[in-house]
């Protein structure tokens, strides 16, 4: 996928414009007209989820999410804003790497069998409202699924690509949203992943609050994005609009709910036998929520189904979690029997071993695992406890 | 990504997750609970692998498991796998007969390094079914025999009835350019061979510890004593290669099941240089 920065100066296409509510509506309509299924943040069952949107009316206007360890609540905010909430329980991975997928189907043929791959058409999604942390998460999964190169351990070796992920990813149009408000469990700033999108989008919106009516600074991040922007009703953005957008993002940066201790990777790597693991394991329910909501967790398992005749089989792939005992099963017993070892696998993978594998952190600081943990276990607090104990040691 | 340009793409089919059907051309009974399958590609495409690599073998309607390739990488005649029956999939595989088909994905994994040992003595340390994943390497070392000093195989089994590839061991023993030491853990009275541990074989084998590359293929618990015996002879960790085993669902780095710290066993392993994973043996449940 190519996302080129628009050339400044001579380009005939606008690289930035100010959109109002009508402009936002026109953006959604234009994407739909171009054949994209637009997915955006909308209210369902008391949470903001990533569902199809048909117009700007479907967005989550005037809603703010209060988030804390094990706690999520929507409250009214500025009715003129569509994006003053932050991230909800879902991440975009469910659209790029669906929770359940048919890998192939097989049919018995005499003493042999034949295999067919489903000829599913690739959905063309436009993702509207992708936050910086989730863009960073896509860049992380691009490395995992062989779509982008990396400097990890297996760099330079033969690279396998997940064709389904690659196709969905290449077909997606991305409208990022820079955050003007940080959530209670957000810590993207300390992970270097936000709150401003650094690239990897077609268009980026920054909500300009306090204008009395909805206003968005729209900036192009690719030629396709610039071409689309040129078709929208808006007016040219001036330096004062950019300054207002920057100030809004700085506001979010200044109010991060949480922060990760520096150098968490090496910290955990040298503390694999720390007493804190037993302590957190005593609280952890091994429910796997954190891995399901995490935008970078990629683990899956396979399931084989057979029809009654036994002649038709399907091989499915579905999301899995390192918190299950079966995950590490080998003949004779699971490698990670204890809750301690499974919690340690999760947290060291996110913050430490991911670096070795892919040359990047596996955590972007989105805060979902903290919010959606039923007992409110907080990855930043766990890392800090180990960090502080070293200071004392 | 533009309107008129949206390509009518479908998800590609040359996916590493999709198996190729192979036909079983021969089935050999090995020691108790073990069997060997010789497979032939049904799609006409050749199959090429390097010693130490493995396939994901799929039994129709049952499931898929990781099995090392056990044949000669220079023999295009057939793809050879030796399997021990332990559970659902391997038992179903044991019931297959010549003429039946099996699904193959692979080859996957990091092979045994060979050139690194040029000019040195080569020592193979293995036991029971561990000889199966090691056999392609032994065959290839013998194929390139002139590049090595002494070639030594230390093999141990539980009893006198579970010595894998016994005929081949005899044949290797007959070569003037290879030492083959076999031991059994326990033997009936009157057994004339050696009784004891593989570690003891390492103690008596003739090789130059300063100039030796050792390849160890044993279960995780048996690897440690083998490495210990090598250390005692003076072979250093950077010249010892071992294999490890983890649950595997994909073989290509996508499913996450085979992770061990910072490595994926399916692509960074299953062969590791011992000094790069030594720490794994000291942290429990990693
Ligand atoms: C790289 C590699 C190479 C291997 N080479 C060989 C070989 O050459 N010959 C041989 O007989 N065996 C080999 N094994 C072990 C073989 O994969 C297991 O014996 C097999 O998976 C057991 O499956 P099952 O369904 O019969 O057993 P069950 O106990 O019913 O296992 C259920 C599931 O657990 C997983 N599992 C269980 N044991 C293992 C294991 N040891 N390793 C990985 N996953 C496991 C599998 O997904 C399996 O389907 C190898 C394993 C690995 C990782
Ligand atoms: S580990 Fe937690 S904070 Fe980090 S990316 Fe995953 S869900 Fe977000
Ligand atoms: S944390 Fe667990 S579920 Fe998530 S990617 Fe790592 S091993 Fe997989
Ligand atoms: S077997 Fe799936 S990641 Fe290694």
């Amino acid at each position: 996928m190519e996302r080129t920065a628009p050339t400044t100066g001579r380009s005939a296409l606008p690289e930035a414009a100010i959109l109002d509510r009508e402009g936002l509506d026109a953006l959604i309509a234009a994407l739909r007209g171009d054949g994209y299924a637009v997915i955006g943040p909308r209210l369902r069952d008391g949470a903001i989820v990533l569902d199809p949107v048909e117009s700007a009316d479907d967005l989550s206007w005037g809603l703010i999410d209060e988030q804390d360890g094990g706690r999520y609540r929507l409250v009214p905010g500025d009715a003129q804003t569509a994006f003053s909430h932050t991230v909800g329980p879902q991440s975009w991975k469910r659209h790029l790497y669906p929770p359940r997928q048919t890998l192939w189907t097989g049919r018995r043929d005499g003493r042999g069998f034949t295999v067919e791959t489903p000829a599913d058409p690739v959905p063309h999604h436009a993702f509207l409202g992708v936050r910086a942390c989730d863009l960073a998460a896509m860049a992380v999964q691009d490395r995992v699924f062989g779509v982008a190169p990396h400097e990890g351990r297996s760099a330079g070796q033969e690279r396998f690509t997940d064709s389904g992920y690659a196709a969905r990813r290449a077909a997606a149009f991305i409208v990022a949203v820079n955050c003007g408000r940080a959530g209670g469990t957000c810590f993207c700033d300390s992970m270097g992943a936000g709150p401003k999108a650094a690239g990897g989008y077609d268009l980026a919106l920054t909500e300009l609050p306090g204008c009395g009516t909805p206003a968005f600074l729209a900036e192009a991040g690719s030629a396709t994005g610039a071409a689309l922007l040129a078709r929208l009703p808006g007016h040219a953005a001036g330096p004062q609009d950019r300054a207002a957008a920057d100030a809004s993002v700085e506001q979010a940066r200044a109010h991060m709910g949480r922060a990760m201790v520096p150098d968490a990777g090496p910290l955990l790597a040298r503390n694999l036998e720390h007493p804190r693991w037993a302590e957190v394991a005593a609280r952890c329910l091994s429910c796997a929520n954190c891995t399901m909501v995490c935008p970078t967790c990629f683990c899956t398992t396979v399931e084989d189904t057979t029809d009654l005749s036994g002649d038709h089989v399907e091989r499915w792939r579905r999301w899995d979690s390192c918190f299950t005992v079966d995950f590490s099963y080998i003949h004779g017993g699971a490698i990670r029997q204890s809750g301690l070892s499974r919690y340690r696998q999760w947290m060291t993978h996110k913050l430490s071993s991911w670096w070795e594998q892919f040359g990047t952190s596996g955590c972007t600081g989105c805060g979902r695992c903290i919010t959606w943990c039923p007992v409110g276990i907080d990855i930043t607090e766990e890392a800090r406890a180990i960090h502080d104990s070293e200071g004392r040691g | 990504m533009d309107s008129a340009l949206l390509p009518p793409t479908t998800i590609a089919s040359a996916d590493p997750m999709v198996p190729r059907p192979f036909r079983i051309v021969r089935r050999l009974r090995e020691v108790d609970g073990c069997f060997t399958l010789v497979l032939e590609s049904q799609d006409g495409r050749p199959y090429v692998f390097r010693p130490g690599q493995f396939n994901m073998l799929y039994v129709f309607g049952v499931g898929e498991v990781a099995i090392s390739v056990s044949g000669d990488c220079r023999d295009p005649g057939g793809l050879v796998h030796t399997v021990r029956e332990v559970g659902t999939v391997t038992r179903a595989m044991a019931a297959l007969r010549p003429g039946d088909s099996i699904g193959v994905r692979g080859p996957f994994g990091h092979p045994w390094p060979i050139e690194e040992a040029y000019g040195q003595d080569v020592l193979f340390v293995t036991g029971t079914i561990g000889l199966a994943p090691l056999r392609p390497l032994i065959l290839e070392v013998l194929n390139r025999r002139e590049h090595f000093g002494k070639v030594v195989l230390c093999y141990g089994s539980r009893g006198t009835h579970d010595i894998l590839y016994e005929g081949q061991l005899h044949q290797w023993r007959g070569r003037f350019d290879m030492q083959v030491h076999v031991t059994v853990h326990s033997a009936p009275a009157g057994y004339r061979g050696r009784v004891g541990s593989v570690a003891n074989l390492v103690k008596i084998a003739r090789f130059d510890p300063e100039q030796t590359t050792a390849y160890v293929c044993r279960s995780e618990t048996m690897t440690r004593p083998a490495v210990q015996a090598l250390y005692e002879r003076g072979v250093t960790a950077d010249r010892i290669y071992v294999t490890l085993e983890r649950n595997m669902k994909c073989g290509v780095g996508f499913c996450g099941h085979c992770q061990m710290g910072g490595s994926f066993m399916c692509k960074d392993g299953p062969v590791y240089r011992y000094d790069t994973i030594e720490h794994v043996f000291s942290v429990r449940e990693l």
Side-chain angles (χ1 to χ4, degrees), chain A residues 298, chain B residues 54 56 247-259 264-267:
Chain A
F298 56 84
Chain B
F54 67 93
M56 296 299 291
N247 185 301
M248 292 189 179
K249 296 291 180 213
C250 73
V252 292
F254 297 159
C255 78
H257 281 252
C258 68
Q259 289 177 82
F264 287 90
M265 209 161 285
C266 66
K267 50 181 194 180

Side-chain angles (χ1 to χ4, degrees), chain A residues 102-117:
Chain A
T102 317
L103 287 172
W104 48 266
T105 58
R107 179 191 294 270
R108 198 189 295 279
D109 175 12
R111 294 179 66 188
F113 58 90
T114 55
V115 172
E116 264 175 49
T117 43

Side-chain angles (χ1 to χ4, degrees), chain A residues 26-81:
Chain A
L27 168 62
I28 296 170
L31 287 167
R32 283 163 55 81
D34 286 352
Y36 289 105
V38 183
I39 312 283
R42 50 185 307 185
L43 180 66
R44 175 158 48 94
D45 301 334
I48 292 171
V49 296
L50 303 175
D51 269 357
V53 292
E54 294 177 5
S55 77
D57 291 345
D58 292 339
L59 297 172
S60 309
W61 294 91
L63 282 178
I64 283 180
D65 43 1
E66 288 182 353
Q67 302 201 29
D68 201 349
R71 191 165 162 275
Y72 179 93
R73 197 161 73 102
L74 292 172
V75 296
D78 178 352
Q80 301 302 318
T81 61

Side-chain angles (χ1 to χ4, degrees), chain B residues 153-203:
Chain B
L153 168 62
C154 298
Y155 176 82
S157 70
R158 274 180 223 102
T160 54
H161 296 293
D162 59 358
I163 302 174
L164 191 72
Y165 304 151
E166 204 168 7
Q168 184 136 41
L169 286 170
H170 274 298
Q171 191 197 329
W172 284 337
R173 199 173 232 165
R175 289 178 69 125
F176 65 92
D177 60 354
M178 183 175 182
Q179 293 172 54
V180 177
H181 302 289
V182 176
T183 186
V184 297
H185 198 259
S186 57
Y191 177 66
R192 290 173 53 208
R194 199 180 293 274
V195 179
S197 72
V198 178
N200 285 334
L201 296 182
V202 173
K203 285 182 192 148

